[in-house]
Amino acid sequence: MSREAPPILRLQDVSLTFRTRAGAVRALNGASLAVHEGEAIGLVGESGSGKSTLARAVLGLNPERSSRIEAGRILIAGRDVTRLSQAEWEGARGHPVAMVFQDPLSFLNPIMRIGRQIAESIERHAPDRRVEERVGELLALVKLPPSLARAYPHELSGGMRQRALLAVALACEPRLLIADEPTTALDVTTQAEILALLRDLREQLGMAMLLITHDLGIVSSACERLYVIYAGRVLEWGRSQDVFGAPAHPYTVGLFQAARADRDAQGRFATIGGEPPDLGETAKGCPFAPRCPSAMAECIQSMPGVTVVGEAGSHAVRCWLYPPAQDAAATAGHVFGS
Amino acid sequence: MRRFLLARLGWAVPVILAILIVNFLIIHIVPGDPIQALVGDFPAPPGYADQVRHEFGLDQPVLTQLGLYLLNLAKGQLGFSFANRQPVLGLILERAQFTLLLMLPALVAAALLGIVMALAAAPRAGSLYDSGLTALSLVGFSLPIFWLGQLLVIVFAIKLHLLPAQGMFSLRTRLTGWSYGLDVLWHLVLPMFAVTIYYVAIVARVARASVLDALSQDFVLTAKAKGLSSRHVLWRHVLPNALIPVVTVIGYNFGYSLTGAILVETVFAWPGLGNLFITSIGNRDYPVLQGIFLLTALAVVIANVATDLLYAALDPRVRATRFRHA
């Protein structure tokens, strides 16, 4: 993996707010991450943590009139796309970054044939290719029979629809595929099939992947590195094996306990107490502090800097439980992988 | 698609049968002597009463009468209009042409205009243009069409002398060929304008709401994420999905367009079916009224069938499921 080339995707301290009737909501609060060519990255968080907002921000898909990137930068293959207008975005989506969404039925046009929906991507991004032939190739790539080109979405099963949606994204010939909860709407067997397919495709096409999920099991099997996001802030990140081996942030620890179905002293399932915070409040401190079993006085007052944990320097956390590093900025840069 | 078509047409048959029976019963509900009612306010010629009694078999049991009625219908005999001194069928068809000449272009224009206006407004929901369109369509929808018609006559015909106030052709000259066509067009402008305004308002309101709804659907995000232009997304993804409710409204109005023009035809003295309807009520010309009822009911049924077929053409899910459980 070459570290000279700019990462295919990089977010630097991105803050994004939504304007709502009830006031401004800060969906992303200084979120940073980097995805390098060919890498598989997991972005983990519970509902409302801002992970889908982050994914959509990368393609300029958040509603133009009600959302705004207040601070930070988004770079795609080194190109700053933070302030693109909608017209400029039209020329920038699909390649090099394409996206598949959560619910494959509602995200496919119900009255357009599958083949046509794939062909639109081809015509947009590879106009010199013979479209029909290429549609067949792409269907084969996602292991669907060529006859499905003439089918409508409602005629397909959930797993087939997710494959079709994947073919639509792959037709853009992306170098990075963002998969926003691609298996959440599917049953367990189909989930495994789709994940295996994603892994094969990534190897076959040498494409990077940003996998957004609330399911830690998926991340452990599919991703090399992961970021844990909470209330629009990235709280912990690192190589999957390091984070899984020794989760540092109390939130991550709680997630793992919940995922492993640990029991507490009374024999009840371990859960993270409390509710995700109301993003309308602009809290100064760590957003997890109100729910954190180890919260201290400083947690409420300010957000801690970045601390590298573990030996390899490939695992970092933002938490007052870990003494801040001397040169936080440099360390952060190292860990983000620039 | 062929099965869908047959199923849909199959459903129309009992409806049409019911219409025929109700229409047949109307003449029995009419108060007074049916013979006099059939003839209207005209002195019945000697022997005509017997002829009618024989033709319609009014002395026979009701079911036999119904059979005779259907038989006559099948032969195209809807009776004779004494007020107009011609057979009802020919009279109605002639007037229906004039109504269609007025209503069809107006409805088509309204449908296209309304959809285009909605497509321009919905993506900018809340903007000045969008609010303006919503307000205007509310006004257009609420304006009484006869009032608007009279206003148009006052302004464009009486004050400005730009357009004719009434009728379908100039009475003082006998025109033929192209000049005849142009003369009719000339007379068509104002009534068609009045009708179009009303229907544009209706279509634009519905279309705006359904375009707005389609714009918020998830598949629009997929289309955008592919890198398609917003124009492409709007025309190829949003519009086809938004059309279904719009087609309902347009189809519904097509069905009623034959008589829906009563007010406009009265204001502009347009010699269409609506006009004939009003005069026939005045003349108590029951055969004509009966014929108009029948034609209108059939038009509504046909428009509904056509609307359903359009649904099926627009939405593959309708083709697949609509009549599976019916």
Side-chain angles (χ1 to χ4, degrees), chain B:
Chain B
M1 190 70 191
R2 183 172 300 159
R3 265 184 65 184
F4 177 86
L5 184 86
L6 286 176
R8 189 60 191 87
L9 289 176
W11 277 100
V13 171
V15 177
I16 290 174
L17 218 61
I19 290 168
L20 291 176
I21 290 171
V22 170
N23 206 37
F24 162 75
L25 289 176
I26 285 176
I27 210 68
H28 290 271
I29 296 164
V30 169
D33 179 20
I35 308 296
Q36 193 56 49
L38 275 172
V39 176
D41 283 344
F42 295 84
Y48 181 71
D50 291 339
Q51 192 193 329
V52 169
R53 223 179 286 278
H54 175 72
E55 223 172 76
F56 287 80
L58 287 176
D59 42 353
Q60 302 194 25
V62 178
L63 273 179
T64 319
Q65 290 183 33
L66 178 62
L68 278 171
Y69 171 71
L70 294 179
L71 202 68
N72 280 330
L73 275 187
K75 285 190 270 181
Q77 289 170 11
L78 271 68
F80 190 85
S81 165
F82 277 85
N84 297 280
R85 292 176 202 289
Q86 56 174 308
V88 169
L89 185 65
L91 176 68
I92 288 180
L93 289 182
E94 185 196 350
R95 300 299 194 89
Q97 283 175 27
F98 299 150
T99 294
L100 283 179
L101 182 67
L102 169 64
M103 294 302 280
L104 271 185
L107 275 168
V108 170
L112 294 178
L113 259 174
I115 289 169
V116 168
M117 282 161 74
L119 277 178
R124 292 182 271 277
S127 70
L128 198 65
Y129 174 78
D130 177 58
S131 314
L133 179 84
T134 308
L136 267 181
S137 63
L138 196 65
V139 170
F141 180 64
S142 317
L143 281 184
I145 202 163
F146 57 87
W147 181 81
L148 177 69
Q150 284 175 320
L151 203 72
L152 290 172
V153 168
I154 292 172
V155 173
F156 291 98
I158 298 175
K159 296 272 185 214
L160 298 176
H161 300 288
L162 283 175
L163 292 158
Q166 284 205 323
M168 191 170 151
F169 15 68
S170 307
L171 296 173
R172 287 179 203 159
T173 47
R174 282 234 163 266
L175 298 166
T176 48
W178 282 105
S179 47
Y180 171 77
L182 278 176
D183 187 51
V184 170
L185 262 182
W186 195 233
H187 283 77
L188 201 55
V189 174
L190 280 185
M192 203 196 283
F193 185 69
V195 177
T196 306
I197 291 231
Y198 177 72
Y199 286 115
V200 161
I202 293 179
V203 173
R205 268 163 60 91
V206 175
R208 179 188 171 273
S210 83
V211 169
L212 211 54
D213 179 61
L215 272 171
S216 71
Q217 300 282 315
D218 289 335
F219 61 79
V220 172
L221 223 50
T222 306
K224 280 187 184 170
K226 284 192 253 189
L228 301 178
S229 69
S230 50
R231 174 189 294 255
H232 186 110
V233 173
L234 195 62
W235 286 91
R236 298 291 179 78
H237 289 267
V238 173
L239 178 61
N241 277 283
L243 270 182
I244 292 163
V246 180
V247 162
T248 315
V249 172
I250 297 171
Y252 175 88
N253 281 305
F254 260 109
Y256 289 99
S257 65
L258 278 183
T259 46
I262 289 177
L263 291 172
V264 175
E265 288 187 358
T266 307
V267 169
F268 290 98
W270 187 263
L273 216 50
N275 208 326
L276 178 66
F277 186 72
I278 296 293
T279 10
S280 300
I281 289 178
N283 293 338
R284 295 214 285 138
D285 197 348
Y286 289 108
V288 173
L289 292 177
Q290 240 186 333
I292 293 178
F293 291 150
L294 187 61
L295 191 68
T296 308
L298 286 179
V300 171
V301 170
I302 290 168
N304 281 340
V305 171
T307 306
D308 275 1
L309 294 182
L310 253 178
Y311 278 164
L314 285 170
D315 191 340
R317 290 166 296 182
V318 174
R319 298 202 280 278
T321 60
R322 199 99 198 257
F323 288 93
R324 187 177 293 164
H325 309 291

Side-chain angles (χ1 to χ4, degrees), chain A residues 40-45 211 213-228 236-249 252-260 262 309 314-316:
Chain A
I41 303 293
L43 180 61
V44 184
L211 183 65
T213 181
H214 61 266
D215 188 337
L216 286 161
I218 291 176
V219 174
S220 71
S221 63
C223 300
E224 294 147 21
R225 290 195 298 128
L226 71 94
Y227 292 80
V228 178
E236 181 170 4
W237 59 98
R239 288 196 313 196
S240 298
Q241 62 208 66
D242 296 337
V243 178
F244 276 78
H249 200 284
T252 319
V253 174
L255 277 183
F256 277 115
Q257 283 171 349
R260 282 199 308 260
D262 282 1
V309 291
S314 58
H315 182 185

Side-chain angles (χ1 to χ4, degrees), chain A residues 56 59 61 65 90 93-94 99 101 106-112 117 120-121 124-125 152 154 165 168 172, chain B residues 124-127 218-219 221-222 224-230 232 236-237 240-241 314-317 319-320:
Chain A
R56 288 176 189 192
L59 284 177
L61 290 174
R65 273 138 50 76
E90 282 171 19
R93 293 190 188 114
M99 188 158 172
F101 296 90
S106 67
F107 279 96
L108 284 166
N109 186 337
I111 61 175
M112 191 185 270
Q117 302 196 41
E120 279 189 335
S121 293
R124 165 73 180 77
H125 295 283
Y152 288 99
H154 72 269
L165 204 54
V168 169
C172 303
Chain B
R124 292 182 271 277
S127 70
D218 289 335
F219 61 79
L221 223 50
T222 306
K224 280 187 184 170
K226 284 192 253 189
L228 301 178
S229 69
S230 50
H232 186 110
R236 298 291 179 78
H237 289 267
N241 277 283
L314 285 170
D315 191 340
R317 290 166 296 182
R319 298 202 280 278

